Amino acid sequence: MTITVWGRKNSANVQKVTWALGEMGVEFDSVRVGGPFGGTKTPDYLAINPNSYVPTYQDGDLTLSESDAILRYVARKYGMGGLYPDDPEAAATADRWATWASASLFPKIFPIFYRMIATPKAEVDFSGLEGAVDGTAAAMSILDRALEGREFLVGDSLTFGDIGPAIFARRALLLPYGAPEAPNVARFVENMQARPAFAKHVGFPVGACKEEWDANAEKYA
């Protein structure tokens, strides 16, 4: 049965899904849409994802959108007892961190990150983002404390609860403006970067302006 992931490799939400599938050795096809590639407003794409964003996941008769829902699904289906803990308390803790990454960490990072990737290099201006810098630092400090003396957020091996935090934290640490000091998070991200599936699906350059972002999207597509 063919699995298809619609999206682009430099989307953090797409990376949640592709990294997870890579960790479990699950083969999938990719269809490049979104961002500089367009394609999310076509009738065919809107038929499978009326929200018009990425990713979209197709697995046989199942079509899913919403990256965290897809992440939980693939972890349960292909990684039960591994990427998806079979202990209910551990699974709930992983769920907490997956939710926190999307609801609390990403929104703090996004104003700075978007100002960077959506702006031509000659026009990049980070003025007025002091609040976002403070918010990013506060959110990252929560993650930093949680990782004190730990390699993973849940138990002694990678779970789906590590995936969103690692992806978004890496982006925070790569910000050219407002990158927080978070030594435990930096160690966590460094450990993730040593994983082959992370290196393949997440660990390529981001860039510091729109030109670099678009060029990397093309180069690492």
Side-chain angles (χ1 to χ4, degrees):
M1 189 173 293
T2 301
I3 295 171
T4 304
V5 179
W6 299 69
R8 51 188 169 80
K9 287 186 70 173
N10 66 344
S11 161
N13 286 328
V14 173
Q15 289 170 359
K16 293 177 192 176
V17 178
T18 56
W19 177 17
L21 291 169
E23 285 286 345
M24 297 179 292
V26 178
E27 297 292 330
F28 61 92
D29 293 334
S30 296
V31 179
R32 190 172 67 175
V33 294
F37 310 114
T40 59
K41 302 290 187 183
T42 65
D44 286 347
Y45 190 79
L46 290 171
I48 61 172
N49 189 334
N51 294 299
S52 183
Y53 49 60
V54 296
T56 300
Y57 174 90
Q58 293 181 309
D59 187 348
D61 294 331
L62 175 69
T63 299
L64 280 179
S65 56
E66 303 298 336
S67 60
D68 290 323
I70 301 168
L71 173 60
R72 292 178 178 94
Y73 169 77
V74 300
R76 280 195 302 266
K77 181 170 182 178
Y78 300 107
M80 196 68 190
L83 202 63
Y84 196 97
D86 50 17
D87 174 71
E89 293 184 5
T93 303
D95 204 1
R96 169 207 170 187
W97 283 111
T99 302
W100 177 85
S102 295
S104 298
L105 180 57
F106 173 68
K108 303 300 184 184
I109 300 166
F110 184 74
I112 309 171
F113 187 76
Y114 186 76
R115 182 80 63 91
M116 176 181 78
I117 65 165
T119 309
K121 185 174 183 178
E123 301 171 17
V124 173
D125 178 6
F126 294 112
S127 61
L129 291 176
E130 293 81 7
V133 171
D134 292 343
T136 297
M140 289 282 280
S141 71
I142 292 171
L143 186 59
D144 203 64
R145 290 193 296 272
L147 288 165
E148 182 70 42
R150 302 184 61 86
E151 185 175 354
F152 303 101
L153 287 164
V154 185
D156 298 322
S157 61
L158 184 78
T159 71
F160 75 94
D162 294 299
I163 286 178
I167 291 170
F168 291 131
R170 176 178 182 261
R171 295 202 171 185
L173 295 172
L174 290 174
L175 290 173
Y177 171 81
E181 291 289 334
N184 294 320
V185 177
R187 171 181 48 79
F188 172 67
V189 171
E190 184 178 1
N191 288 340
M192 295 300 168
Q193 290 178 155
R195 304 181 73 91
F198 185 100
K200 179 178 180 178
H201 297 289
V202 184
F204 39 81
V206 172
C209 62
K210 187 177 189 303
E211 294 94 334
E212 293 176 7
W213 172 257
D214 290 347
N216 286 328
E218 289 279 2
K219 183 176 181 180
Y220 296 96

